[in-house]
Amino acid sequence: MRALLAAGVLELLAIGGMTLFFTQEKPQPPVIPPMQLVLVAQEPPKASPPPPPRPEAKSTVIPKASPRPTPRPVARPVAQPVHQAEAVETKQAIPTPAPSPLPATVQAPAAEQTNAPSKDSVPAEDRAGEGQYAGKVVREIEKHKVYPASAKELDMSGDVVLSYTLNRQGSVVEASVLRSSGFKLLDEAALKALRASHFDAMATGLWPGSARKTFTTTVHFALDD
């Protein structure tokens, strides 16, 4: 009995499943909307603006040259023949310039000729007199030498070599310290002695032909003087 009931139930289930299968709505395919073709008219290409007009070339009008006036013939004076006698008289009437005299030779003034020294007028050199004059110059400087008191207090001593030039009148033209003693006070004292000296004029036989003479003298400054 149970078996029959089970078989009936199974049959019913089978029949119900088949009806469900056949009655079930099948899926419909997707609906594709209709396509519409729209024709769009293509715009015509824009026309480029026309180029600006070129400036017209102005034609230059060259003025025609006015014709030159034809020169009128000028009447030239006709030279009249001159008689030979008149030409001779004209030549004789023109004075001929007198020739300029040649320049005379320039002569030197008499004073310059007499003062110009000649070989015969130069006196003989007196060597002995030159030595005596140089000794007098040295003694004159020593006579006016003054030892500075401040230099003695500071125990300054030394020799100053002076170089000086005398003209023929015995005046000092140039003077300088050829070799220093190492102390400015002593160098200045030696130059002061030179400037304070008075030298005799040079005799004719001393260094003839020389306008000046340079001497070199050593001035001694010793503490035991």
Side-chain angles (χ1 to χ4, degrees), residues 94-179:
I94 298 174
T96 57
S100 58
L102 296 175
T105 56
V106 179
Q107 296 181 357
E112 294 183 1
Q113 292 181 357
T114 54
N115 293 336
S118 60
K119 294 182 179 180
D120 298 336
S121 60
V122 177
E125 185 175 2
D126 186 4
R127 295 294 181 86
E130 292 174 355
Q132 294 175 4
Y133 186 88
K136 288 181 180 180
V137 168
V138 174
R139 288 191 296 271
E140 182 70 13
I141 295 174
E142 285 290 332
K143 186 173 66 175
H144 291 84
K145 181 183 71 174
V146 177
Y147 205 129
S150 56
K152 281 188 175 183
E153 291 177 359
L154 297 174
D155 295 336
M156 294 182 182
S157 62
D159 298 334
V160 182
V161 180
L162 298 178
S163 176
Y164 51 96
T165 303
L166 305 180
N167 58 14
R168 300 202 68 85
Q169 287 73 31
S171 302
V172 179
V173 179
E174 296 176 356
S176 62
V177 176
L178 190 62
R179 189 175 67 221

Side-chain angles (χ1 to χ4, degrees), residues 158-210:
D159 298 334
V160 182
V161 180
L162 298 178
S163 176
Y164 51 96
T165 303
L166 305 180
N167 58 14
R168 300 202 68 85
Q169 287 73 31
S171 302
V172 179
V173 179
E174 296 176 356
S176 62
V177 176
L178 190 62
R179 189 175 67 221
S180 174
S181 63
F183 301 102
K184 188 176 180 181
L185 286 175
L186 300 182
D187 296 345
E188 291 179 353
L191 288 173
K192 286 181 181 179
L194 174 64
R195 295 190 186 100
S197 302
H198 300 281
F199 306 108
D200 297 335
M202 299 180 188
T204 307
L206 304 181
W207 301 285
S210 299

Side-chain angles (χ1 to χ4, degrees), residues 1-102:
M1 220 29 213
R2 288 179 180 178
L4 288 175
L5 286 172
V9 172
L10 289 171
E11 188 177 356
L12 287 173
L13 289 172
I15 293 170
M18 289 178 66
T19 50
L20 224 151
F21 177 75
F22 286 109
T23 58
Q24 189 179 4
E25 293 182 359
K26 294 182 179 180
Q28 296 181 1
V31 180
I32 301 172
M35 298 176 64
Q36 294 181 359
L37 297 176
V38 180
L39 299 177
V40 179
Q42 188 177 3
E43 295 182 0
K46 294 182 180 180
S48 59
R54 295 182 179 180
E56 297 181 358
K58 296 182 180 181
S59 59
T60 57
V61 179
I62 301 174
K64 295 182 179 181
S66 57
R68 296 181 179 179
T70 56
R72 295 180 180 180
V74 180
R76 297 181 179 179
V78 180
Q80 297 180 1
V82 182
H83 296 287
Q84 187 174 3
E86 294 179 0
V88 172
E89 291 178 359
T90 306
K91 290 181 180 179
Q92 292 179 357
I94 298 174
T96 57
S100 58
L102 296 175

